[in-house]
């Protein structure tokens, strides 16, 4: 059973930065895609970023480009999300997810089979 554990969430001022981590209990296979999603109250779950485990190709939602960076540490079996210049409207629960099949539909939450419990990110103004 694959388990994903997020950490690094918390309270940050507008314009500040946070680095989220997602540790997988088992070894992530080369075919997997790892993703980050977020969900604010009364809003749908939103795609943030994704990374192909083998080649390291990265993908971002338009609003995150230039500010967010997704990366991986193969030895530590961990994926990261570096978030810079955070805005109050980005307050949400951030979720780590894994797609063992490496689907092309990585922007959709439906493609992911495993999810972490989420970590709260609160951006104050």
């Amino acid at each position: 059973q694959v388990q994903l554990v997020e950490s690094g969430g918390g309270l940050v001022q507008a314009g500040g930065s946070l680095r989220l981590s997602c540790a997988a209990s088992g070894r992530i296979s080369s075919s997997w895609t790892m993703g980050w999603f977020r969900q604010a109250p009364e809003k749908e779950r939103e795609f943030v970023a994704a990374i192909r485990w083998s080649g390291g190709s990265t993908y971002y939602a338009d609003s995150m480009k230039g500010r967010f960076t997704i990366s991986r540490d193969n030895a530590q079996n961990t994926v990261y999300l570096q978030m810079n210049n955070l805005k109050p409207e980005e307050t949400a629960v951030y979720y780590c997810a894994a797609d063992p099949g490496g689907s092309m539909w990585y922007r959709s939450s439906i493609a992911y089979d495993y999810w972490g419990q989420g970590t709260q990110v609160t951006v104050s103004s």
Side-chain angles (χ1 to χ4, degrees):
Q1 182 74 262
V2 175
Q3 288 186 307
L4 305 174
V5 180
E6 302 101 329
S7 62
L11 177 64
V12 65
Q13 294 181 354
S17 300
L18 282 175
R19 190 193 194 199
L20 306 183
S21 299
C22 174
S25 61
R27 183 66 58 185
I28 300 175
S29 299
S30 61
S31 62
W32 288 29
T33 297
M34 302 295 294
W36 286 98
F37 290 77
R38 68 188 182 190
Q39 188 164 22
E42 303 298 316
K43 291 189 176 181
E44 296 181 354
R45 188 162 296 189
E46 177 186 22
F47 171 75
V48 175
I51 186 168
R52 303 287 190 186
W53 202 251
S54 60
S57 298
T58 58
Y59 311 91
Y60 299 92
D62 289 342
S63 61
M64 289 73 171
K65 291 179 180 178
R67 297 187 299 116
F68 288 15
T69 303
I70 188 171
S71 61
R72 75 199 197 282
D73 187 327
N74 297 70
Q76 294 296 122
N77 221 34
T78 301
V79 63
Y80 303 96
L81 183 68
Q82 178 68 45
M83 304 185 294
N84 297 327
N85 194 23
L86 283 161
K87 308 175 186 299
E89 58 265 32
E90 293 176 314
T91 293
V93 177
Y94 284 69
Y95 297 92
C96 177
D99 171 21
S103 172
M104 290 293 297
W105 307 101
Y106 52 82
R107 294 180 179 269
S108 173
S109 62
I110 300 175
Y112 296 84
D113 296 325
Y114 303 102
W115 294 84
Q117 82 289 344
T119 184
Q120 176 70 47
V121 172
T122 302
V123 185
S124 63
S125 59

